[in-house]
Amino acid sequence: MTLADLAMLLTALFLLIGSAFVLIGVAGLLKFDGPMTRLHAPTKVGTIGIGMLLLASMTNAAALGEPSFHEVLIMAFLFVTAPVSANFIAKVNIHRRDCDPPPKPPGARGWATLKPTEDAAGAGDRPAGQDDPDAVAR
Amino acid sequence: MSAAALLDIMIVVSMVALLIGSVLSMLRLALGPTTGDRILALDTMVINALGLVVVLGIYQGVQVYFEVALLIAMLGFVSTVALARFLLRGDIIE
């Protein structure tokens, strides 16, 4: 077995792992109940799944005799941006009351995502019952 | 079975897996029920498209798809953040 054959086998293995993680993540996106638990699964697609596919691309380029390393750039970009977008989607879920509200943080101000009149009990200047859950907090 | 034949089979398998992933996340996009789920499903679809482009690059053995994949990754992140930001603040750029 030559070195190129070994690189091809490695490419096939990485492709298998990557597609398995893609399927697992998407199955989790469909099967879980509740928006916050559903947020958990597809992050695996973005990190491990696509990371393995990019590793396969790198080993395949090495097997073809022209090694390339710029796939690391995409991998780094995805690893940096996946938590940021997940955090934004979680904030949307909290903001639109699609999940249980998080416990109150220490201090009087409360969470910035939720309206301050709702989590600071007693300190609100707005009577209860007038809250529109879909109102956009400015 | 030679390594090249195995690699060809695995390329087809991973393309089918990414296709199934796209279809299933489109199902979640249609089902909802919350807006966060729809944004998440769109983000997953973009990531699946990125994976398809990467696997196409492996299949053709060329390097030109690198820029395409990087652009798709950047556009996917920006669109996810813009959608979430619009829902959070009612405005994208304040």
Side-chain angles (χ1 to χ4, degrees):
Chain A
M1 183 184 277
T2 62
L3 208 62
D5 275 352
L6 196 67
M8 275 186 182
L9 283 181
L10 259 182
T11 308
L13 180 69
F14 287 148
L15 279 177
L16 183 65
I17 298 173
S19 43
F21 267 98
V22 167
L23 284 183
I24 289 168
V26 176
L29 176 67
L30 266 186
K31 287 294 287 181
F32 281 151
D33 51 344
M36 281 304 199
T37 43
R38 273 197 287 270
L39 192 56
H40 168 87
T43 51
K44 272 77 212 166
V45 182
T47 51
I48 306 179
I50 302 298
M52 281 296 161
L53 294 183
L54 289 168
L55 259 182
S57 177
M58 282 168 74
T59 51
N60 186 55
L64 292 177
E66 40 191 34
S68 71
F69 294 97
H70 50 211
E71 278 89 351
V72 179
L73 210 61
I74 306 178
M75 229 187 282
F77 184 79
L78 282 177
F79 278 34
V80 168
T81 56
V84 178
S85 51
N87 181 29
F88 265 99
I89 295 170
K91 273 173 85 174
V92 167
N93 284 340
I94 294 172
H95 179 72
R96 293 181 67 90
R97 317 297 198 278
D98 289 331
C99 60
D100 296 333
K104 245 178 80 78
R109 293 185 55 133
W111 296 108
T113 310
L114 299 169
K115 279 189 220 100
T117 49
E118 282 186 5
D119 18 64
D125 49 359
R126 208 166 160 200
Q130 276 193 358
D131 284 328
D132 179 11
D134 287 331
V136 174
R138 281 264 173 196
Chain B
M1 182 186 283
S2 70
L6 185 68
L7 181 58
D8 280 347
I9 293 172
M10 282 322 300
I11 285 171
V12 173
V13 165
S14 55
M15 273 186 171
V16 169
L18 286 163
L19 202 68
I20 291 172
S22 281
V23 170
L24 290 188
S25 48
M26 198 191 286
L27 197 62
R28 176 51 79 193
L29 178 68
L31 286 176
T34 69
T35 317
D37 285 328
R38 291 181 209 270
I39 301 175
L40 186 63
L42 263 181
D43 192 48
T44 314
M45 276 179 75
V46 167
I47 285 181
N48 279 324
L50 167 70
L52 267 178
V53 169
V54 169
V55 176
L56 192 68
I58 297 175
Y59 173 65
Q60 296 187 351
V62 291
Q63 295 288 325
V64 292
Y65 290 112
F66 158 71
E67 282 86 2
V68 182
L70 194 56
L71 273 177
I72 291 177
M74 286 179 173
L75 281 178
F77 171 66
V78 169
S79 56
T80 305
V81 169
L83 276 170
R85 185 101 188 126
F86 180 71
L87 285 171
L88 282 173
R89 307 288 299 172
D91 220 342
I92 296 172
I93 300 170
E94 293 173 42

